[in-house]
Amino acid sequence: MDYSRLWSLAEAFRADLIGFAQKLVQTRSLSGQEEDLAAAVRDEMERLAYDAVWVDEAGNVIGRIDGGDGPSLMLNGHMDHVDAGDPALWRHPPFGGEIHDGELWGRGAADMKGALAAMVYAGGLVKKLDGSLPGDLFVSAVVQEEVGGLGARHLAKTLAVERAVVGEASGNQLRRGHRGRVELHARFEGRSVHASMPHLGANPHFSMARFVESLQSLEMVSDPVYGRSSVAPTRVSVSPDSANITPTTLELVLDWRNVPTEGPEEIEAKLNRLLQDSLVEDCQGAIEIATKALVSYTGFELSYRDCFPSFTTPADHPWLLDAHSTLERVLGRGVGVGTWRFATDGGHFAKAGTAVLGFGPGDDAVVHTSVERLPLDELLESVVGYMVLSLV
């Protein structure tokens, strides 16, 4: 086909696309509070004349463009964002959706309301092309990715597709996988006493200190694609929470990023061995994989272990090779093929048997920061990229 038509379409709808992306950034949608954003996405899909648009029981918005008998494809983005923090730390208002020096500023601009806007428009624009798509195209806007992927976990079970493109920030380069993420909770228990008589108690701080120190020398699994697994202690809670007594219990949250060959149970067992070796006299403790019980804005409830699966699409996968060569030809530049360091909803879809690639506008270094922004040229290019991916 004449791929120059894709650029013409994208340019013709540039103003509408940018305005929609601004609207999404201006619409606050913390995890579990995506209802207003879902309505905006649904309305835009309907305005763009999708063949079908619906909201599932979890609150995910799905639009469909009918295609031929070829492989079905889903363009996937999430609607929620992390907390913006103190607005005073932002150069431009986090929910202003303002444009400065050719960039859209605000919380979620790069993660990932810009990509979501581009996907919604890509679906609407490919329908305007002559000829049908190779297969059915779905555009999904899911809930609660930032807290473990409630929406994607549900969608992976209820909408079977052969291929999926996840729009997390990649600078419009291709991604073919990422490490997994496992959240674990380490509990250290001692005997609480008045802080003036510490010798009468068993202070769990010393056990936790030995454990955290030992983490730095823990032998980690390595992978030729992803390098080593990593672990980061993140949050500590204490009980009782008083400054003049020693605690009974400390709880430490651990963020483990695992390579594909390392499973959650293996990680849990390794850390429990380390914890037992770290306990001082009269202290005890254990580590377990965290569980979450979440409720979406529709009232849908789902409980799960807090694990994002890793995934890897082989470097010689025919779809990846075809997508790579066609993107380079249509975008007129080199397109890198790499992996993400962070976890995405792609792991949930890959676990369900879907072939997954990543492609999205934005710099992942500004994601979750107070300088989050998205170049408008990348936003426009991503629309063309998503149209290309729906046609190969």
Side-chain angles (χ1 to χ4, degrees):
M1 68 168 294
D2 179 10
Y3 284 106
S4 65
R5 173 79 169 128
L6 305 185
W7 280 106
S8 299
L9 271 173
E11 287 288 356
F13 283 84
R14 180 186 181 101
D16 290 345
L17 166 68
I18 292 173
F20 183 53
Q22 287 180 285
K23 180 178 181 178
L24 296 187
V25 172
Q26 291 162 353
T27 305
R28 302 182 189 222
S29 54
L30 287 168
S31 303
Q33 302 173 29
E34 301 97 338
E35 184 172 7
D36 290 344
L37 196 82
V41 171
R42 182 196 62 222
D43 290 348
E44 200 72 4
M45 286 179 172
E46 291 175 347
R47 194 180 71 82
L48 289 166
Y50 275 58
D51 291 311
V53 181
W54 69 97
V55 179
D56 71 12
E57 59 183 339
N60 301 317
V61 184
I62 304 104
R64 189 187 74 238
I65 305 296
D66 295 334
D69 296 328
S72 55
L73 172 70
M74 176 172 61
L75 303 178
N76 170 258
H78 64 84
M79 296 186 286
D80 57 329
H81 59 76
V82 298
D83 182 46
D86 184 356
L89 300 177
W90 286 75
R91 192 179 311 170
H92 305 290
F95 298 105
E98 296 181 5
I99 294 172
H100 298 274
D101 300 322
E103 296 180 312
L104 171 62
W105 278 75
R107 174 59 79 230
D111 183 24
M112 54 178 298
K113 293 181 176 182
L116 183 56
M119 290 175 168
V120 169
Y121 267 77
L125 296 185
V126 293
K127 191 178 179 185
K128 299 179 181 295
L129 298 171
D130 297 330
S132 66
L133 293 167
D136 289 342
L137 172 65
F138 298 89
V139 178
S140 63
V142 299
V143 299
Q144 294 185 299
E145 186 272 348
E146 296 290 0
V147 290
L150 179 149
R153 290 171 190 266
H154 180 68
L155 193 61
K157 295 177 181 179
T158 56
L159 180 65
V161 293
E162 293 162 87
R163 299 171 175 176
V165 175
V166 174
E168 296 283 2
S170 69
N172 287 345
Q173 308 294 322
L174 281 167
R175 298 288 179 259
R176 66 182 187 92
H178 57 63
R179 297 183 299 172
R181 178 185 182 273
V182 182
E183 182 175 311
L184 303 106
H185 291 184
R187 188 182 69 260
F188 301 86
E189 296 181 347
R191 188 170 63 255
S192 179
V193 295
H194 196 287
S196 66
M197 297 173 280
H199 60 286
L200 298 179
N203 194 329
H205 275 292
F206 297 108
S207 297
M208 190 176 75
R210 292 177 61 180
F211 173 80
V212 172
E213 178 68 23
S214 298
L215 277 180
Q216 297 184 83
S217 57
L218 185 64
E219 184 176 351
M220 307 299 280
V221 176
S222 186
D223 179 90
V225 174
Y226 299 101
R228 296 172 56 189
S229 294
S230 63
V231 59
T234 57
R235 187 178 69 234
V236 177
S237 58
V238 58
S239 177
D241 186 13
S242 298
N244 60 350
I245 61 174
T246 64
T248 300
T249 305
L250 295 174
E251 189 168 276
L252 172 67
V253 176
L254 300 168
D255 184 310
W256 189 290
R257 304 296 170 132
N258 59 303
V259 300
T261 56
E262 184 179 43
E265 292 78 12
E266 177 185 351
I267 296 166
E268 185 181 38
K270 177 188 289 189
L271 286 172
N272 266 304
R273 290 192 295 270
L274 183 65
L275 183 144
Q276 295 302 319
D277 291 341
S278 304
L279 295 176
V280 301
E281 186 177 359
D282 293 335
C283 285
Q284 55 187 337
I287 292 178
E288 60 183 14
I289 296 170
T291 59
K292 283 187 174 174
L294 298 179
V295 181
S296 75
Y297 73 86
T298 61
F300 178 79
E301 299 180 23
L302 188 66
S303 298
Y304 49 82
R305 295 196 309 169
D306 199 358
C307 304
F308 271 95
S310 62
F311 84 91
T312 304
T313 299
D316 60 353
H317 193 288
W319 177 42
L320 170 57
L321 297 177
D322 197 9
H324 180 236
S325 62
T326 308
L327 279 171
E328 288 199 325
R329 184 167 69 254
V330 177
L331 299 184
R333 61 168 175 81
V335 175
V337 179
T339 58
W340 281 304
R341 287 194 58 80
F342 50 86
T344 77
D345 275 338
H348 303 308
F349 299 122
K351 187 177 180 180
T354 300
V356 178
L357 295 177
F359 181 88
D363 179 0
D364 61 16
V366 304
V367 165
H368 294 191
T369 74
S370 59
V371 292
E372 186 173 0
R373 61 199 188 275
L374 180 67
L376 296 181
D377 288 344
E378 279 191 29
L379 177 65
L380 186 73
E381 185 187 62
S382 69
V383 174
V384 177
Y386 292 134
M387 287 194 282
V388 169
L389 292 167
S390 70
L391 292 167
V392 297

